[in-house]
Amino acid sequence: MRDGRIHEIRGREDHLKGITCPRGKASPDIVHSPQRLLHPLKRSGPKPGLNFTEISWDQALDEIAARILKLKGEHGPECIATFQGRGSFFEHGMAQMFRPPKRGGGATFTLFMPLGSPNAFSVGTLCFVSYGLLAPLTIFGRAMRTIQPDIENSDVIFIWGANPATDSPPIDMRRLKKAKGRGARIVVIDPLKTAPAAMADMWIPIRPGTDGALIHALARLCMEEGRVDRDFVSEFTLGYDQYRDYVQRFTPEKASAITWVEEGKIRELADILTSSSKVSVLTYTGLEYSNAGVQSIRALLNLWAITGHLDVEGGMRLLDFKPIPLNRPSITPPDHPKPIGYDRHPFFCDITMAGHFMEFPRSVLDGDPYRIRFLLIGGASILTGFPDKALFERSLAALDGLVVVDRFMTADALYADYVLPATTYYENLSYVQYPEVIPAPSHIQLRQRVVEPVGEARSDYIICAQLAERLGYGELFPQTEEEMVRYVIKDLPLTFEDLAKADGPVRVGPGPLAGEERKWEKGKLRRDGKPGFNTPSGKWEIASSLLKKYGHEPLPVYVDIQEGPENGELFVRFPLVFTSGARIQSTFRSQHLNIPRLVRMQPCAQAHIHPRDAAPRGILDGDSVRIVSPRGRVTMRARVTDGIIPGVVEVNMGGGSPVQVEGWRDANVNLVTDHGNRDSISGFPVFKALLCQVEKIQ
Ligand SMILES: Nc1nc2c(c(=O)[nH]1)N[C@H]1C(S)=C(S)[C@@H](COP(=O)(O)OP(=O)(O)OC[C@H]3O[C@@H](n4cnc5c(=O)[nH]c(N)nc54)[C@H](O)[C@@H]3O)O[C@H]1N2
Ligand SMILES: Nc1nc2c(c(=O)[nH]1)N[C@H]1C(S)=C(S)[C@@H](COP(=O)(O)OP(=O)(O)OC[C@H]3O[C@@H](n4cnc5c(=O)[nH]c(N)nc54)[C@H](O)[C@@H]3O)O[C@H]1N2
Ligand SMILES: [Mo]
């Protein structure tokens, strides 16, 4: 099982990026960082603050369980909540064991559901759900992982609002380089000249948040000139005629004014898009964080479909998945009451079976519609990730109980009553599954412990299982890591011993298959075997029935930017377009900013600004600058570069945790972002299309 490809799959683990760990000898910097949390801690000083006393695990878990049961008794189970971040749900055993039976992906966390609480929150409130679920479900009835660019066979690859060079690990970057090597053309649409843009045949800098307008203009050009897949649009789409009428307003001239992309370039893009059937597109977070996030992603998928690139070689293939049959407890979310956020974002809550954390402050601070009083945060950094840090600080401070489970002190821990030390993956016994790496088959692998847990740290799974036991339902969760793995794999045709003996990935299924082309024509996409798609109408829903049902605009319309150059008065005071959070190689959101060898790669948080905008402000590369928005300010270093579209400032995200080095610790980008400004469909905050001013600090 140790051929090159499997090796590549193994590299997919976030923290194993580029590291090989001989068992027993590994000492990645993160494991032995002097800042690792080693013991359970109980608050001994005022909030906010980091005064804690070491206590035993028994005391910590007993006291936390007692507090939960007391609050439940006094206020009902719905006042107890969890928040899971990106830190913890790549631990596959943990994710599988605490996932409701009917949900494939996602991070709905069932730990407190047996108590009767529907309030499972996650970082899905502002990551992935918009792109991965809401957009694709409302157009073709399946999740995004089932539609994938056939990079290996494309003549042209568009990279539109993603940067595969900073993925972890950069699998798609390797695929792109190979494609480029065999002569495929690469087109990048991004406000930043990313590494893929630098090697591309064409870089189209675009004004952040306006992609929808460009997509509609391209759709209009293609329709006008008959460059559409006629059979597909006439037989298999819903809302095509309405959409054709709608896009008439997006002349190249109008789209150019909105997007800052030259008219000639728009025409050229339409030509490239229709130059071959073998054109694919890679996209991700670049389109999510604008007022038109979900709709722009829908419009993009739709543009590829109507121009004949759907499920053909070299285009966007529709894939079949056979999930690995893993076991899990059958805990389902309670029907009543609805989770927090349901009143404002019911579509999000129904699809994710979770709460919407943007409404958490209203719940905690105003008791509207009811009050959350206890929160367990696992593997997340809310105060660096959510917009309007001060609002979330007030909310965390107002809780009757806050528990943080992490490897390091976070900004959230300043408000915690208990902080529990979690192990890294190196210290856990668990498993990993690889069902989604294309084109490899499905594999499962035992995650062997490579280092003994440092201090008293325990795995996330064990911490939660032991808490469940104290809450009275420990029988749902095996109480050791080995028993957990045995439980999860019980329906597979292999044993724990087989996995241990294999000492590497074991193949358990065929993995994602592309199969025949244009599967909708052959009844391969619907459970009833009829031609069409897995949507309420059975069509490719340009006009979405689901969105209509939830009171949203069914067509994938462009939504005007709420805070942009169009706001004349505001634009005078804040004349630069603000975007944030383009990923960098050395950091993992708020993580790794305390790991010296990684910090050296970029010791300070940066704001990227074009020389044209820097010069009149007297800003030189490396200067300290203040980024000011209508809501607040934050200080960073200027990176003066022509690798950004003039008029736009890209501001690093991730700064703001107490363990970080000085150049990042106070540089929290979410001091300037806006909690109220959202994509109305997903409720995602608009992180990438706001306004700011940049001032040199003398
Ligand atoms: N090394 C590293 N890897 C990571 C992470 C990390 O922090 N560090 N984070 C992980 C997480 S949580 C996520 S969600 C993923 C994100 O994965 P990606 O979506 O690939 O994230 P980025 O690398 O930021 O690429 C997004 C690109 O979109 C561009 N963009 C911004 N606004 C717009 C816009 O309005 N229109 C267009 N067309 N483009 C725009 C940005 O400039 C950027 O180049 O990465 C994951 N991988
Ligand atoms: N302005 C702006 N804000 C943004 C974004 C942006 O682009 N711009 N991006 C958004 C996105 S896409 C995301 S995903 C969020 C960030 O989402 P978060 O999930 O908050 O991500 P991190 O900052 O990486 O915080 C993860 C925490 O988990 C801890 N951790 C890591 N592994 C483990 C583990 O195995 N167990 C436990 N218990 N803890 C662990 C880390 O130490 C860290 O404190 O930020 C969002 N916020
Ligand atoms: Mo994310």
Side-chain angles (χ1 to χ4, degrees), residues 71 276 351 422 428 450 474 527 611:
L71 288 168
S276 155
I351 297 290
N428 295 347
V450 288
R527 239 168 257 132

PDB file of all heavy atoms in Angstrom, residues 71 276 351 422 428 450 474 527 611:
ATOM      1  N   LEU A  71     -27.701  24.210  35.334  1.00  0.00           N
ATOM      2  CA  LEU A  71     -28.273  25.183  34.396  1.00  0.00           C
ATOM      3  C   LEU A  71     -29.422  24.575  33.611  1.00  0.00           C
ATOM      4  O   LEU A  71     -30.447  25.216  33.368  1.00  0.00           O
ATOM      5  CB  LEU A  71     -27.185  25.700  33.441  1.00  0.00           C
ATOM      6  CG  LEU A  71     -26.164  26.651  34.075  1.00  0.00           C
ATOM      7  CD1 LEU A  71     -24.970  26.864  33.148  1.00  0.00           C
ATOM      8  CD2 LEU A  71     -26.823  27.996  34.420  1.00  0.00           C
ATOM      9  N   SER A 276     -13.580  25.604 -25.931  1.00  0.00           N
ATOM     10  CA  SER A 276     -13.482  24.143 -25.865  1.00  0.00           C
ATOM     11  C   SER A 276     -14.535  23.657 -24.885  1.00  0.00           C
ATOM     12  O   SER A 276     -15.010  24.417 -24.037  1.00  0.00           O
ATOM     13  CB  SER A 276     -12.074  23.774 -25.372  1.00  0.00           C
ATOM     14  OG  SER A 276     -12.073  22.509 -24.756  1.00  0.00           O
ATOM     15  N   ILE A 351     -30.582  22.995   6.776  1.00  0.00           N
ATOM     16  CA  ILE A 351     -29.635  22.213   5.977  1.00  0.00           C
ATOM     17  C   ILE A 351     -28.513  21.641   6.849  1.00  0.00           C
ATOM     18  O   ILE A 351     -28.093  20.503   6.671  1.00  0.00           O
ATOM     19  CB  ILE A 351     -29.027  23.068   4.826  1.00  0.00           C
ATOM     20  CG1 ILE A 351     -30.112  23.508   3.844  1.00  0.00           C
ATOM     21  CG2 ILE A 351     -27.900  22.326   4.109  1.00  0.00           C
ATOM     22  CD1 ILE A 351     -30.704  22.421   2.995  1.00  0.00           C
ATOM     23  N   ALA A 422      -6.040  19.735  25.209  1.00  0.00           N
ATOM     24  CA  ALA A 422      -6.277  18.692  24.199  1.00  0.00           C
ATOM     25  C   ALA A 422      -4.947  18.252  23.601  1.00  0.00           C
ATOM     26  O   ALA A 422      -4.017  19.042  23.476  1.00  0.00           O
ATOM     27  CB  ALA A 422      -7.178  19.229  23.094  1.00  0.00           C
ATOM     28  N   ASN A 428      -2.701  10.976  19.619  1.00  0.00           N
ATOM     29  CA  ASN A 428      -3.977  10.249  19.684  1.00  0.00           C
ATOM     30  C   ASN A 428      -3.884   8.868  19.049  1.00  0.00           C
ATOM     31  O   ASN A 428      -3.126   8.647  18.111  1.00  0.00           O
ATOM     32  CB  ASN A 428      -5.059  11.008  18.902  1.00  0.00           C
ATOM     33  CG  ASN A 428      -5.382  12.343  19.526  1.00  0.00           C
ATOM     34  OD1 ASN A 428      -4.983  12.621  20.655  1.00  0.00           O
ATOM     35  ND2 ASN A 428      -6.107  13.170  18.798  1.00  0.00           N
ATOM     36  N   VAL A 450       2.004   8.599  17.863  1.00  0.00           N
ATOM     37  CA  VAL A 450       3.435   8.679  17.574  1.00  0.00           C
ATOM     38  C   VAL A 450       4.227   9.272  18.739  1.00  0.00           C
ATOM     39  O   VAL A 450       5.435   9.111  18.815  1.00  0.00           O
ATOM     40  CB  VAL A 450       3.753   9.456  16.274  1.00  0.00           C
ATOM     41  CG1 VAL A 450       3.361   8.665  15.059  1.00  0.00           C
ATOM     42  CG2 VAL A 450       3.093  10.811  16.253  1.00  0.00           C
ATOM     43  N   GLY A 474     -22.959   8.031  29.152  1.00  0.00           N
ATOM     44  CA  GLY A 474     -21.650   7.524  28.734  1.00  0.00           C
ATOM     45  C   GLY A 474     -21.740   6.266  27.893  1.00  0.00           C
ATOM     46  O   GLY A 474     -20.843   5.974  27.096  1.00  0.00           O
ATOM     47  N   ARG A 527     -32.618   9.190  -7.409  1.00  0.00           N
ATOM     48  CA  ARG A 527     -32.894   7.911  -6.763  1.00  0.00           C
ATOM     49  C   ARG A 527     -33.935   7.110  -7.552  1.00  0.00           C
ATOM     50  O   ARG A 527     -33.877   5.894  -7.629  1.00  0.00           O
ATOM     51  CB  ARG A 527     -33.367   8.154  -5.318  1.00  0.00           C
ATOM     52  CG  ARG A 527     -32.463   7.464  -4.317  1.00  0.00           C
ATOM     53  CD  ARG A 527     -32.745   7.945  -2.906  1.00  0.00           C
ATOM     54  NE  ARG A 527     -31.717   8.887  -2.472  1.00  0.00           N
ATOM     55  CZ  ARG A 527     -31.960  10.048  -1.901  1.00  0.00           C
ATOM     56  NH1 ARG A 527     -33.197  10.453  -1.699  1.00  0.00           N
ATOM     57  NH2 ARG A 527     -30.982  10.825  -1.526  1.00  0.00           N
ATOM     58  N   PRO A 611       1.110  50.176  -5.011  1.00  0.00           N
ATOM     59  CA  PRO A 611       1.927  51.398  -4.960  1.00  0.00           C
ATOM     60  C   PRO A 611       1.115  52.657  -5.283  1.00  0.00           C
ATOM     61  O   PRO A 611       1.328  53.714  -4.693  1.00  0.00           O
ATOM     62  CB  PRO A 611       2.994  51.154  -6.033  1.00  0.00           C
ATOM     63  CG  PRO A 611       3.051  49.676  -6.225  1.00  0.00           C
ATOM     64  CD  PRO A 611       1.708  49.128  -5.833  1.00  0.00           C
TER      65      PRO A 611
END
